[in-house]
Each structure stands twice: as structure tokens, then as C-alpha cells.
Amino acid sequence: MKKLLLLGLLVSLYACKGTAQNEKKEQFPVSKTEAEWKAELTDAEFQVLRKEGTERAFTSDLLNVKEEGTYVCAACQNPVFKSKTKFDSGTGWPSFYDYIEGNVAFSSDNKLGYTRTEEHCANCGGHLGHVFNDGPKPTGKRHCINGVALNFVPTKG
């Protein structure tokens, strides 16, 4: 009986040693509950921005926007990309070769079995997309962004 109690104690001590408890939740200036985000965002925005989903390629209305302006996070309106850095990557998602410094943050994503650089809004943590090293000069980067994660604000002329 003592062996069973000892075994039970050991199992309970080591059962909670998973890495999930050690993962830190990053804090952002704009922080809301899941219910609050669900109430404010469309289903598609919520899936991409809060659940790190991906919209289908070639479905974004922003693909063909050629006006001068700023692309902002659809969740918190934080400016993340300038129209002058947008280019047609042919991938089916809005692509930019640069971002607005300080308004975008990066982390690693291994969901597909290899490491990618995830890009998210530095203000609310909303998932925007991923960054790849196959973009045009001057940066050589391709910020491949879900259009549903963005709103476009034209420059007032």
C-alpha cells in the first residue's frame, strides 16, 4: 500500500511538468478577453487575428488596393504598413517589403513542422501573417499578411 501511495505522489508531482505552464503570455497595451474580441470582430477577423488562422488566398479585397495610405490592424487600428511598401507577390495575400517600426512584433511559429517568423500587431497581439526572405529590395523581406487582419486608411488629399 505504501508503494502505491508513493507511486501516486510521484505521478502527481511530475504530471504537471509540461511546458505549457512555463509559456509566458505576452502582455500588450490593448488586452481584451476572448468574449470581448468575439463581440468586436467578424468571425473571419477573430479566426485570423485571435486564433492565428489563415484566410484563403486571393480572397482579400485589399489585394487590388493601389491608393496611397496606411494599413492598420483590424482589431485595434494600430498602423502597421505603409502603402508605398506594398507589392504584388503573386501569392494571393497582401504583401509588403517593410513594416512600420515599433508597431509590429515577431515570434517563432513551428506549426507546420519548420520554423517560420510570425508577425503580429505590437499593440494588441493580433496575428497578421508571416515574414519570408524572398521579397524585393531594399529589405529582401516579404511580409505575407492576411487581408482580413488589416483595414486600409487612404491618405487624405
Side-chain angles (χ1 to χ4, degrees):
M1 186 65 165
K2 284 184 181 179
K3 286 183 181 180
L4 284 176
L5 284 174
L6 183 57
L7 180 62
L9 179 62
L10 287 174
V11 167
S12 68
L13 286 174
Y14 290 100
C16 294
K17 294 293 182 188
T19 59
Q21 291 181 352
N22 296 330
E23 291 177 20
K24 294 180 195 171
K25 286 273 187 182
E26 197 171 345
Q27 295 296 313
F28 296 97
V30 173
S31 180
K32 299 179 182 186
T33 67
E34 186 167 316
E36 289 171 322
W37 284 122
K38 272 188 174 181
E40 291 181 21
L41 302 171
T42 67
D43 290 343
E45 289 170 339
F46 181 79
Q47 193 59 35
V48 169
L49 287 160
R50 307 316 310 171
K51 297 297 182 181
E52 299 176 359
T54 301
E55 70 185 356
R56 283 190 358 254
F58 300 101
T59 59
S60 174
D61 293 339
L62 297 180
L63 278 175
N64 298 317
V65 172
K66 308 273 191 244
E67 295 175 68
E68 188 175 321
T70 304
Y71 292 85
V72 300
C73 172
C76 71
Q77 308 311 306
N78 182 35
V80 287
F81 300 101
K82 293 285 189 185
S83 62
K84 67 182 178 183
T85 66
K86 186 177 181 216
F87 70 99
D88 183 1
S89 66
T91 61
W93 290 279
S95 297
F96 305 85
Y97 64 78
D98 209 355
Y99 61 96
I100 298 176
E101 187 79 31
N103 291 1
V104 174
F106 304 93
S107 60
S108 292
D109 170 0
N110 295 299
K111 292 181 190 100
L112 296 180
Y114 60 93
T115 302
R116 298 182 296 171
T117 301
E118 181 192 353
E119 191 160 9
H120 54 272
C121 174
N123 195 44
C124 71
H127 172 77
L128 301 173
H130 292 87
V131 184
F132 302 95
N133 293 319
D134 59 1
K137 292 181 181 182
T139 65
K141 301 291 184 187
R142 174 174 51 96
H143 299 259
C144 189
I145 307 301
N146 290 285
V148 74
L150 301 174
N151 288 327
F152 178 70
V153 179
T155 300
K156 293 179 179 151

